[in-house]
Amino acid sequence: MRNNGQIANSSISKGTIHTGLDPAAMNYEEVDAFLQMAYESTEFLKGIRTETRDGSKGTIDKIGVTGRNLRKKREGNPAGKQTEPVYQQVPYSVVPVTLQYEITEEKIRMEQRVRKQNIEEIIMGGMTRNFGENMQDLGFNGDMSTLNTDPDYDFLSIADGWLKKARSTGNFTDWSTLDATGKLGIFFRLERSVPTRLRSAGQFKYFMHPNTFSERLEQLALKDTSASIQIQILGAQKRINNYDVEEVPHMPEGAVLFTYKPNFVIVNTYDMIIRKTTEGKAAVTEDKRFYATHADGDFIFEEPGAVAMAEGVQF
C-alpha cells in the first residue's frame, strides 16, 4: 500500500509536455511525479491510498488473515487447522478524463520579459494542482446518475464517487428516518454500524464539511461551557467520541463519513499524457497556446464494510 507522501521524489519538467502529433505518453517516473504533485494539493489527499496500474480494469488486492486460528500445541500432533491468507479483491474501472486550458502568447512574453519566469512551468504547476483538487471534488461528489439539467452535469456525471458508493456498499444511516434519540446519538450509531472485526483495520476518523463540525460545536457551546468544549472551540482539538475529525471542504454539508483514511483509494493508470499545440487556426488568430492533460481515474474503498455514512445531519 502506498501513501502519497511515500511516492519516490522526481521532477516534472517542461520536457514532460508533448507537442504537435507526438503520441508519446509520459513515462512511469513522470506519471508518479505528476500524481504526487497533484495529490499533495489538498490536505485530505495526502493520506489516502493511491494505486497506479497498467490496465484500465482490474482489482485491488487486500491481503488479510482473520478468524480464531490459534490451537493448543500438542507434541507430535499437527494443530488440526491450517490457516491461509484471505485475498480480498476490490474491482476498479477507470474513466478517461481531460483537463484543458489555454494561455495567450502575450501573457507568456510578458511574464518572461518582466518577471524572468518560465511561464510554462508555472502553468504546469497550477494545472497539476487543479487536477488534484478536481479529483478530490469528483471523488466525493461524482454521481453518474446526475440529471442532465444539473449545471455541473458534465463534471459530476464522469464517475461515481465515495459518497455514492458509501450509500450503496457501506453502512448507511438516513438521518431523516431517526427519532430524537437516534439523532442525538448519531455518532455512536455510526461507530457501532461498522463491524467490530473491521474497526482494527486502521485509525478511524470522522470526515465532514467544516460547517458541519462548526454547527455541532455551536450547539455544544450553547449547552455546555466546560473546559473540554472550550478547547474544541479554540481549535486545539477536533475530536468526537475520542476519534479525530478531519474537515473536507469538498464534502456536502450534513454528510458524515466514519472510516480510516487509507480506505479511500484513487486508482489511475500510467496511460497519461500532457499535450500542447501552438498550431491551428485558433492558435494563430487568437495568438494562444492550448494545453490538455489526458488521464483517468476511479474512486473505490479498500474495505467497503469499514465505512459508515450519515446524510442530512443537523444539530
Side-chain angles (χ1 to χ4, degrees), residues 87-102:
Y87 298 91
Q88 178 181 343
Q89 295 185 323
V90 182
Y92 73 85
S93 179
V94 299
V95 176
V97 295
T98 182
L99 176 62
Q100 303 177 22
Y101 47 102
E102 62 186 50

Side-chain angles (χ1 to χ4, degrees), residues 61-297:
D61 294 331
K62 180 186 177 184
I63 302 174
V65 180
T66 62
R68 293 174 169 175
N69 300 309
L70 282 178
R71 295 294 184 268
K72 185 176 180 179
K73 182 178 179 180
R74 295 182 175 86
E75 187 174 354
N77 293 316
K81 181 176 176 62
Q82 301 298 320
T83 304
E84 295 183 359
V86 177
Y87 298 91
Q88 178 181 343
Q89 295 185 323
V90 182
Y92 73 85
S93 179
V94 299
V95 176
V97 295
T98 182
L99 176 62
Q100 303 177 22
Y101 47 102
E102 62 186 50
I103 188 170
T104 64
E105 295 288 349
E106 175 60 28
K107 179 67 173 177
I108 292 174
R109 291 190 290 268
M110 181 184 68
E111 293 291 334
Q112 291 177 339
R113 182 175 63 250
V114 176
R115 302 187 183 184
K116 310 297 183 182
Q117 293 176 303
N118 189 325
I119 189 63
E120 198 153 71
E121 291 184 0
I122 295 174
I123 292 170
M124 173 168 281
M127 172 273 301
T128 306
R129 288 188 292 271
N130 183 247
F131 177 86
E133 292 166 358
N134 273 228
M135 287 295 282
Q136 176 172 309
D137 189 352
L138 184 63
F140 279 104
N141 301 301
D143 187 345
M144 295 176 69
S145 61
T146 299
L147 297 177
N148 58 13
T149 55
D150 191 300
D152 292 318
Y153 168 79
D154 289 339
F155 177 77
L156 296 175
S157 62
I158 293 174
D160 288 334
W162 293 305
L163 290 177
K164 183 173 182 180
K165 291 180 178 178
R167 294 187 198 103
S168 60
T169 64
N171 305 284
F172 180 72
T173 299
D174 186 349
W175 170 269
S176 64
T177 65
L178 300 177
D179 58 19
T181 301
K183 291 178 178 179
L184 186 63
I186 182 61
F187 293 105
F188 296 103
R189 180 182 290 266
L190 289 176
E191 178 184 347
R192 291 194 299 268
S193 69
V194 176
T196 307
R197 63 182 177 81
L198 296 179
R199 283 188 231 162
S200 61
Q203 184 178 354
F204 275 69
K205 294 182 178 182
Y206 289 103
F207 299 88
M208 64 189 71
H209 190 279
N211 288 352
T212 303
F213 184 67
S214 176
E215 289 170 5
R216 178 179 182 272
L217 281 185
E218 182 181 13
Q219 292 303 312
L220 288 176
L222 294 174
K223 301 175 184 177
D224 188 345
T225 58
S226 65
S228 61
I229 299 301
Q230 296 305 312
I231 288 175
Q232 292 193 55
I233 293 174
L234 293 173
Q237 290 183 351
K238 291 183 179 179
R239 297 177 70 84
I240 296 175
N241 294 355
N242 209 32
Y243 291 99
D244 288 337
V245 173
E246 183 160 342
E247 298 175 338
V248 185
H250 284 114
M251 287 185 66
E253 294 184 34
V256 177
L257 287 170
F258 179 68
T259 190
Y260 56 97
K261 197 167 185 178
N263 200 16
F264 297 93
V265 185
I266 295 181
V267 183
N268 301 105
T269 73
Y270 283 107
D271 187 16
M272 181 179 294
I273 190 169
I274 301 173
R275 301 181 65 118
K276 79 169 182 181
T277 183
T278 57
E279 303 173 352
K281 181 178 179 181
V284 173
T285 59
E286 300 176 28
D287 197 25
K288 290 180 178 180
R289 294 185 189 183
F290 298 90
Y291 298 79
T293 299
H294 301 283
D296 49 41

